[in-house]
Amino acid sequence: MVEGLTSPVPVSSRLPAVLQEDDLLHRFTGAFDDALAPVYLTLDALACYVDPHLAPADFLEWLCGWVGIEPDDTWTTERRREIVAHAASVHRWRGTARGVAEAVRLVVEGDVQVRDNGGCSWSAAPLGPIPGSAEPALQVRVSARGEVDRRRVERVIRAVCAAHVPFTLEVVQEEP
């Protein structure tokens, strides 16, 4: 119960007309109004709870888990909101070079370049040359403007990269 919070739909207003004049019944149903008021107001604001830009800061932790992101204690509230808001886009491109680049950009301040050596082609002649190499590999280069936690970036790449593809990470510190 929240002190001073009134119910938008009092229980007594839903009673039959003959019972609405009973003072005891009004006081009795008032207890239900006090208990139900936070429920009604939470349900009315439910859309705000699942929108990362509007959700309360303490609710963002739950939203991170909901979209499959492991929150980092070093992220500010605004950074966490941005990461949760872009999670669907990252998941949409998961396993691709674009998806890896987007995921790394969310946790690193700087430029991210991803090179995938795989390729796909067709040939009118059988046994034609295929671009790339036979072994898959991913190269990620991060030009960072600040300090970079290499283990965190590797963890992010592992989470969005295809499981069978090995990767290399190069971190270059830019001069401020």
Side-chain angles (χ1 to χ4, degrees):
M1 294 192 334
V2 178
E3 186 69 33
L5 190 63
T6 59
S7 176
V9 186
V11 174
S12 62
S13 68
R14 297 185 173 252
L15 291 173
V18 71
L19 296 176
Q20 287 190 3
E21 296 176 9
D22 188 346
D23 185 49
L24 176 65
L25 201 52
H26 271 277
R27 286 184 282 140
F28 179 74
T29 58
F32 293 111
D33 291 337
D34 291 342
L36 292 175
V39 174
Y40 281 124
L41 294 174
T42 301
L43 290 175
D44 285 347
L46 188 60
C48 295
Y49 278 91
V50 295
D51 183 340
H53 298 294
L54 301 174
D58 59 342
F59 202 71
L60 281 173
E61 186 88 18
W62 182 80
L63 283 179
C64 284
W66 202 32
V67 295
I69 294 173
E70 184 180 328
D72 191 323
D73 294 335
T74 62
W75 294 341
T76 64
T77 302
E78 289 308 312
R79 186 82 174 140
R80 194 171 293 207
R81 289 182 193 282
E82 180 184 343
I83 289 171
V84 171
H86 290 91
S89 174
V90 170
H91 288 306
R92 183 178 307 123
W93 292 101
R94 188 177 189 152
T96 65
R98 177 179 173 179
V100 172
E102 285 184 21
V104 173
R105 273 188 204 103
L106 287 175
V107 297
V108 173
E109 302 256 347
D111 184 42
V112 179
Q113 298 169 351
V114 177
R115 210 171 86 204
D116 185 2
N117 75 333
C120 180
S121 181
W122 68 276
S123 173
L127 303 173
I130 297 176
S133 68
E135 292 297 317
L138 193 69
Q139 297 170 341
V140 181
R141 184 173 195 270
V142 177
S143 300
R145 290 185 277 285
E147 192 65 31
V148 174
D149 183 352
R150 187 178 184 87
R151 286 182 290 171
R152 182 185 319 143
V153 175
E154 287 174 351
R155 200 168 51 237
V156 167
I157 294 170
R158 256 187 238 102
V160 296
C161 180
H164 69 285
V165 177
F167 66 88
T168 57
L169 173 62
E170 178 186 359
V171 177
V172 178
Q173 295 291 330
E174 291 182 356
E175 294 299 321

